[in-house]
C-alpha cells in the first residue's frame, strides 16, 4: 500500500523542464522539447516529480520493519524497492531518444560488460560485479542513468550510435539534478553516494574539473554524515559489501583527485575493505617464462595474513595520495630535512613499508605469473587483475615520486638552501631509477598480454614517473640514456591512449611533449650532444602534481593555461659527468674516476631560483627482482 501511494506521486512529471527550473524561468512546457530549449539548441529534460513529504513518510513507514540500530539498511531497501526501477517486461526502442531513454536488456548486458572491463577498479570498486546485472534493474532511475552515462564513454553500441553525446548529457543532467536535490537535503543514502561517485568520474572525463571537485567534496561530506549516524555495522553481508565499496570509492576519489583536501582519510572509523576475488589458478613453474626466477624462494619468509588484493590496492592508493600531498607542500615551499627520522619523508617511507607488508606473497608476480598468461585468461579474471595491476604500478610509481631526483636534488635544496647528505642522495636516486624501471617493465607486461589500461590513477602515476627518464636521457652513459629515451616513448604511448578518455591526462601528455620539444630544439642547435638544457621546473611540477587543471575543458590545443604561457622560472640542467655502476658485469670496465669528486661538487653548489646542476652519476644497476616480485 505504501509503495503504491509513493508510485502515484513520484511518477508524476514536472511541468517545467530541468533547464528552465534551474534558471528559475517560466517553462513553456511543450513536449518533448520546450521552445526555450529548442531556441538555445540544448537538451530538454522533464524529470519525475519528487514529493519530499511523501518520500519522508514512506521512509518512516518502511523503516519500522527494519532493525532500529541499522540506519543504512533503510537507504538500501529504498533503493531496492525504488518506484523508478525498470519494469519486468517492456517494449524497448531500437535506438536511443530522449523521449524513451531506457535501454533494453541486451544493451544493459553490454554496458555491464563494459563496466567490468573498462571501469571496475579503474580506479573505483564501486559495484560488485557478481550482482551488478540484477541490481541494475532495481536501481532508482538516477543511479542507473549515472552508470549508463559513464559506460557510454567506452562503447559504440548501436543503440546509442550517433547519439552518444546527447545521451550522456541527458543522463548526467537528469541524475545530477536529483543528486544535488537529495544532497542539499542531507539525504545520505547509499544510492545517492554511489551516484555522486559516478558523476565525479563523468565530470572529469568531460573536463568539468571544478564541478568534479564540488561533487567529490559533496560525496565525502555526505559519507561523513552517514557514518556519524551509524552506530552499529550491518549484519547483512550484501549491505555491508555495498557500504564498503561506496565508502572506499569516495576515499579513493579524494586520494586521487584532491589529495590535499581529504575529509574521510583522517577518520578513525572505516568499514572493512571490500571482499577480494579469488586469485587465478597458479600456472606452476614455467622454466624460461617471464616470471620464472629459480633463485627466489619463500623459504625465509614467515607465514603472512592474506588481506586480499582489494585491500592491497586501497592501501597503495592511500599511500600514493599521501606522497603526492607531500610533493604539493614542497611545491608550495613547505619543506623539511628529508633524511631526519621525524621528517615527512621518513614517515612516508615507513608507511610505504607498512603497505608492502599488507601484500601477501600469494599475490607476488612470481606466483601469479601475470606476463606468462594468455590474454583470454587475463580477460576471464579482470576482477582480480584490475586491482592487481593498479597495486603493482602505483606502488613503484609512488616510491619513485618520493625519491624523484628533481625533488631531492633541486626542490629541497632550493626551498631550504641546506646541503643534503651525499649517501642519502645516492640512495634516493638509486631508488628512483630502480622503481621507475619497474613501472616501465609492468607497462610492457600489460601490453604483451593485451591488458587495456583505462585507469586515470595509473595515468597520473605514469606522468609523474616520466619525469625520471626525462632527466636520465641526458646521461653520458649511452646505455642508460638510450634506455631512458625508450621508456619515455613508451610512457608517452600509454598517456596518449588514456588521453582519449581523460582530458587531464591529455594535458599532462602535452606538457611532456613540450619538455621533449625543448630537448629536440637544443639538439638541433648544438648537435647530438647536449651539454646543458634549459627547461621550466613548473612543467615538471605539473607532471608530478595530480591535481586537476583549473581549466573547464582541456580538449583544446596546447595553448591552454598551465603550459607555460606566462613568464615561468627557468632552470638549467648541466650534464658534466659519467654514470658509475657499483654493480656491473665483471668483464665490463667501470668508470669510477668521477664519482667522489662529483658528489663533493654537488655539495658545493647553491641552487638559486631553481637553477642548478643535476648530478647524473648517482646510478647503480639494481640486481634485486622487484619490490613486489
Amino acid at each position: 500500500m505504501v509503495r503504491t501511494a509513493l508510485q502515484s506521486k513520484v511518477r508524476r512529471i514536472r511541468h517545467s523542464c530541468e533547464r528552465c527550473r534551474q534558471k528559475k524561468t517560466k517553462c513553456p512546457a511543450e513536449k518533448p522539447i520546450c521552445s526555450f530549449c529548442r531556441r538555445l539548441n540544448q537538451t530538454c529534460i522533464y524529470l519525475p516529480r519528487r514529493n519530499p513529504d511523501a518520500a519522508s513518510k514512506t521512509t518512516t513507514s518502511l523503516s519500522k520493519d527494519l532493525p532500529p540500530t541499522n540506519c543504512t539498511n533503510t537507504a538500501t531497501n529504498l533503493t531496492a524497492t525504488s518506484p523508478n526501477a525498470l519494469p519486468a517486461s517492456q517494449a524497448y526502442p531500437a535506438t536511443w531518444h530522449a523521449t524513451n531513454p531506457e535501454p533494453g536488456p541486451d544493451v544493459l548486458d553490454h554496458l555491464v560488460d563494459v563496466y567490468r572491463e573498462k571501469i571496475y577498479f579503474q580506479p573505483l570498486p564501486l559495484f560488485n560485479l557478481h550482482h551488478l546485472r540484477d541490481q541494475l534493474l532495481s536501481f532508482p532511475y538516477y543511479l542507473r542513468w549515472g552508470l549508463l552515462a559513464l559506460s557510454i564513454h567506452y562503447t559504440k553500441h548501436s543503440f546509442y550510435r550517433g547519439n552518444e553525446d546527447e545521451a550522456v548529457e541527458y543522463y548526467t543532467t537528469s541524475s545530477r539534478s536529483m543528486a544535488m536535490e537529495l544532497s542539499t537535503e542531507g539525504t545520505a543514502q547509499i544510492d545517492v553516494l554511489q551516484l555522486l561517485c559516478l558523476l565525479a568520474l563523468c565530470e572529469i572525463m568531460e573536463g568539468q574539473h571544478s564541478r568534479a571537485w564540488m561533487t567529490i567534496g559533496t560525496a565525502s561530506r555526505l559519507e561523513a554524515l552517514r557514518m556519524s549516524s551509524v552506530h552499529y555495522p550491518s549484519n547483512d553481508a550484501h549491505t555491508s559489501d555495498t557500504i564498503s565499496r561506496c565508502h572506499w570509492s569516495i576515499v579513493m576519489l579524494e586520494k586521487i583527485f584532491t589529495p590535499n583536501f581529504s575529509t574521510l582519510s583522517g577518520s578513525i572509523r572505516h568499514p572493512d575493505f571490500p571482499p577480494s576475488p579469488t586469485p587465478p589458478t597458479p600456472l606452476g613453474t614455467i622454466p624460461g617464462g617471464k616470471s620464472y626466477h629459480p633463485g627466489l624462494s619463500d623459504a625465509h619468509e614467515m607465514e603472512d595474513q592474506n588481506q586480499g588484493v582489494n585491500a592491497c590496492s586501497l592501501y597503495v592508493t592511500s599511500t600514493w595520495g599521501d606522497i603526492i600531498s607531500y610533493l604539493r607542500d614542497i611545491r608550495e615551499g613547505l619543506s623539511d630535512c628529508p633524511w631526519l627520522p621525524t621528517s615527512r619523508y621518513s614517515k612516508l617511507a615507513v608507511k610505504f613499508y607498512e603497505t608492502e607488508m599488507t601484500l601477501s606473497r600469494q599475490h607476488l608476480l612470481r606466483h601469479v605469473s601475470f606476463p606468462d598468461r594468455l590474454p583470454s585468461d587475463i580477460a576471464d579474471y579482470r576482477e582480480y587483475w584490475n586491482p592487481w595491476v593498479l597495486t603493482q604500478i602505483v606502488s613503484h610509481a609512488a616510491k619513485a615520486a618520493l625519491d624523484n631526483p628533481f625533488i631531492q636534488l633541486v626542490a629541497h635544496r632550493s626551498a631550504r638552501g641546506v646541503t643534503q647528505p651525499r649517501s642519502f642522495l645516492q640512495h634516493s636516486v638509486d631508488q628512483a631509477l630502480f622503481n621507475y624501471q619497474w613501472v616501465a617493465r609492468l607497462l610492457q607486461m600489460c601490453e604483451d598480454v593485451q591488458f587495456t589500461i583505462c585507469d586515470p590513477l595509473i595515468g597520473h602515476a605514469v606522468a609523474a614517473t616520466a619525469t625520471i627518464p626525462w632527466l636520465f636521457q641526458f646521461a653520458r652513459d649511452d646505455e642508460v640514456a638510450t634506455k631512458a629515451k625508450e621508456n619515455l616513448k613508451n610512457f608517452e604511448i600509454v598517456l596518449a591512449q588514456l588521453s582519449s578518455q581523460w582530458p587531464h591526462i591529455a594535458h599532462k601528455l602535452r606538457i611532456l611533449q613540450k619538455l621533449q620539444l625543448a630537448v629536440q630544439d637544443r639538439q638541433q642547435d648544438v648537435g647530438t650532444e647536449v651539454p646543458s638544457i634549459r627547461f621550466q621546473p613548473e612543467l615538471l611540477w605539473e607532471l608530478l602534481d595530480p591535481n586537476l587543471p583549473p581549466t573547464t575543458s582541456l580538449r583544446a590545443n596546447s595553448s591552454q593555461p598551465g603550459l607555460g604561457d606566462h613568464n615561468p622560472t627557468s632552470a638549467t640542467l648541466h650534464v658534466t659527468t659519467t654514470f658509475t655502476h657499483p654493480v656491473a658485469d665483471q668483464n665490463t670496465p667501470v668508470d669510477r674516476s668521477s664519482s667522489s669528486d662529483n658528489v663533493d661538487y654537488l655539495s658545493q653548489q647553491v641552487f638559486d631560483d631553481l637553477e642548478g646542476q643535476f648530478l647524473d652519476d648517482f646510478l647503480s644497476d639494481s640486481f634485486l627482482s622487484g619490490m613486489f616480485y
Side-chain angles (χ1 to χ4, degrees):
M1 182 64 104
V2 170
R3 185 176 177 184
T4 303
L6 180 61
Q7 288 177 344
S8 64
K9 294 186 177 182
V10 174
R11 287 182 175 176
R12 293 171 57 192
I13 303 299
R14 288 192 173 105
H15 293 296
S16 297
C17 73
E18 283 305 293
R19 295 287 188 181
C20 294
R21 194 172 73 89
Q22 292 172 3
K23 293 179 180 294
K24 297 182 178 180
T25 60
K26 182 175 178 59
C27 180
E30 298 100 338
K31 303 290 195 311
I33 303 175
C34 73
S35 55
F36 178 81
C37 292
R38 181 182 291 108
R39 185 173 68 254
L40 297 180
N41 193 27
Q42 61 189 12
T43 303
C44 187
I45 301 171
Y46 290 89
L47 292 181
R49 180 179 304 189
R50 179 174 174 272
N51 188 327
D53 295 334
S56 176
K57 293 177 181 178
T58 305
T59 302
T60 304
S61 177
L62 288 176
S63 64
K64 292 179 180 179
D65 299 327
L66 299 173
T69 58
N70 188 356
C71 67
T72 58
N73 283 346
T74 303
T76 306
N77 281 348
L78 281 174
T79 299
T81 60
S82 169
N84 307 110
L86 287 176
S89 61
Q90 173 180 323
Y92 295 95
T95 58
W96 183 90
H97 193 271
T99 58
N100 199 348
E102 292 290 0
D106 59 328
V107 183
L108 291 179
D109 290 340
H110 171 75
L111 294 178
V112 168
D113 290 338
V114 170
Y115 176 86
R116 176 179 179 273
E117 181 178 355
K118 306 286 188 180
I119 302 174
Y120 175 74
F121 238 121
Q122 300 205 60
L124 307 184
L126 190 56
F127 298 109
N128 189 317
L129 294 180
H130 299 289
H131 308 299
L132 179 59
R133 180 60 181 86
D134 295 333
Q135 288 180 328
L136 197 57
L137 298 175
S138 61
F139 279 170
Y141 78 91
Y142 49 83
L143 180 57
R144 182 170 56 255
W145 287 2
L147 180 59
L148 295 181
L150 184 60
S151 302
I152 292 172
H153 284 90
Y154 292 100
T155 183
K156 295 294 182 182
H157 194 278
S158 59
F159 178 74
Y160 294 103
R161 186 167 298 162
N163 298 310
E164 288 87 359
D165 293 340
E166 185 180 356
V168 168
E169 182 180 3
Y170 180 92
Y171 288 144
T172 53
T173 302
S174 305
S175 56
R176 183 185 297 116
S177 177
M178 184 59 69
M180 292 301 105
E181 183 175 341
L182 293 169
S183 298
T184 54
E185 295 174 2
T187 307
Q189 295 177 183
I190 293 299
D191 52 40
V192 177
L193 295 168
Q194 290 171 324
L195 173 59
L196 290 171
C197 292
L198 296 171
L199 288 175
L201 293 179
C202 287
E203 289 158 357
I204 294 170
M205 296 181 85
E206 292 299 318
Q208 301 172 356
H209 301 131
S210 297
R211 173 173 279 174
W213 267 59
M214 298 301 296
T215 302
I216 294 172
T218 302
S220 61
R221 289 304 181 106
L222 269 183
E223 172 62 2
L225 175 63
R226 187 197 66 81
M227 292 175 61
S228 67
S229 61
V230 176
H231 305 291
Y232 300 95
S234 172
N235 294 324
D236 180 71
H238 171 68
T239 301
S240 297
D241 178 61
T242 302
I243 292 172
S244 173
R245 291 179 180 278
C246 183
H247 173 88
W248 288 108
S249 293
I250 298 172
V251 172
M252 291 185 77
L253 284 173
E254 286 190 318
K255 289 292 186 179
I256 296 169
F257 298 109
T258 61
N260 286 75
F261 304 95
S262 297
T263 299
L264 299 177
S265 59
S267 174
I268 60 175
R269 294 182 57 202
H270 291 287
D272 294 336
F273 292 119
S276 295
T278 303
T281 304
L283 296 181
T285 303
I286 307 177
K290 297 179 181 178
S291 56
Y292 177 64
H293 283 266
L296 297 176
S297 172
D298 299 328
H300 65 286
E301 297 187 10
M302 299 177 62
E303 290 294 329
D304 55 12
Q305 294 183 352
N306 183 9
Q307 298 190 45
V309 69
N310 287 355
C312 297
S313 180
L314 293 169
Y315 273 126
V316 166
T317 303
S318 177
T319 304
W320 163 266
D322 292 341
I323 289 176
I324 297 304
S325 177
Y326 167 62
L327 298 186
R328 163 56 71 95
D329 288 342
I330 295 176
R331 184 180 186 181
E332 298 295 331
L334 302 176
S335 178
D336 55 6
C337 296
W339 65 89
L340 296 177
T342 56
S343 67
R344 285 183 67 185
Y345 173 94
S346 298
K347 293 178 181 178
L348 287 169
V350 170
K351 183 175 181 179
F352 189 88
Y353 297 141
E354 292 174 347
T355 300
E356 185 180 343
M357 293 299 294
T358 66
L359 184 69
S360 169
R361 59 175 175 267
Q362 180 181 359
H363 306 294
L364 297 179
L365 180 61
R366 64 178 182 267
H367 291 315
V368 299
S369 306
F370 177 71
D372 296 313
R373 293 184 180 270
L374 297 174
S376 58
D377 189 17
I378 298 294
D380 291 339
Y381 288 89
R382 291 289 301 206
E383 186 179 5
Y384 175 84
W385 292 119
N386 285 0
W388 185 89
V389 168
L390 186 152
T391 300
Q392 294 285 333
I393 293 179
V394 175
S395 60
H396 285 288
K399 194 65 171 67
L402 186 62
D403 290 306
N404 192 289
F406 172 71
I407 300 297
Q408 300 300 341
L409 298 175
V410 178
H412 274 306
R413 185 66 176 271
S414 175
R416 297 186 59 84
V418 178
T419 301
Q420 299 190 62
R422 293 182 291 275
S423 58
F424 173 80
L425 293 176
Q426 175 74 60
H427 170 77
S428 296
V429 179
D430 282 350
Q431 285 294 305
L433 191 68
F434 170 77
N435 285 286
Y436 119 73
Q437 289 176 336
W438 261 102
V439 172
R441 183 176 178 182
L442 288 163
L443 291 175
Q444 185 60 52
M445 291 179 187
C446 290
E447 181 180 352
D448 292 342
V449 299
Q450 301 175 24
F451 181 92
T452 303
I453 296 175
C454 305
D455 191 345
L457 173 55
I458 293 181
H460 290 167
V462 171
T465 307
T467 59
I468 299 175
W470 187 86
L471 292 171
F472 277 101
Q473 69 178 319
F474 304 113
R476 294 228 177 171
D477 186 301
D478 291 337
E479 182 179 353
V480 173
T482 300
K483 190 65 175 177
K485 293 174 183 177
E486 176 185 334
N487 288 333
L488 195 58
K489 290 180 180 179
N490 293 335
F491 286 178
E492 286 191 41
I493 292 174
V494 173
L495 293 176
Q497 294 170 347
L498 289 167
S499 296
S500 62
Q501 298 295 342
W502 303 98
H504 64 293
I505 301 298
H507 175 79
K508 292 182 180 295
L509 175 61
R510 292 195 295 270
I511 292 174
L512 185 59
Q513 292 170 341
K514 186 178 180 68
L515 282 168
Q516 280 299 90
L517 184 61
V519 175
Q520 296 170 4
D521 292 343
R522 180 62 176 165
Q523 288 176 337
Q524 293 176 358
D525 293 339
V526 302
T528 57
E529 186 173 338
V530 186
S532 64
I533 182 69
R534 195 167 187 82
F535 68 100
Q536 300 170 12
E538 189 67 18
L539 297 182
L540 291 182
W541 276 122
E542 286 294 315
L543 292 175
L544 286 166
D545 191 345
N547 284 332
L548 299 173
T551 53
T552 56
S553 178
L554 291 174
R555 298 188 184 277
N557 56 31
S558 59
S559 62
Q560 295 288 347
L563 290 181
D565 53 349
H566 53 289
N567 295 321
T569 302
S570 295
T572 301
L573 182 149
H574 302 281
V575 182
T576 59
T577 61
T578 302
F579 278 89
T580 59
H581 297 261
V583 181
D585 186 81
Q586 294 181 354
N587 297 325
T588 302
V590 178
D591 180 5
R592 302 182 183 274
S593 59
S594 61
S595 177
S596 178
D597 292 340
N598 285 321
V599 171
D600 291 336
Y601 179 67
L602 175 69
S603 65
Q604 301 293 328
Q605 298 304 300
V606 177
F607 288 83
D608 184 15
D609 199 22
L610 285 183
E611 183 167 351
Q613 172 165 337
F614 171 72
L615 182 64
D616 61 354
D617 67 342
F618 281 127
L619 171 68
S620 63
D621 280 343
S622 299
F623 60 93
L624 299 178
S625 58
M627 193 165 303
F628 292 124
Y629 207 99

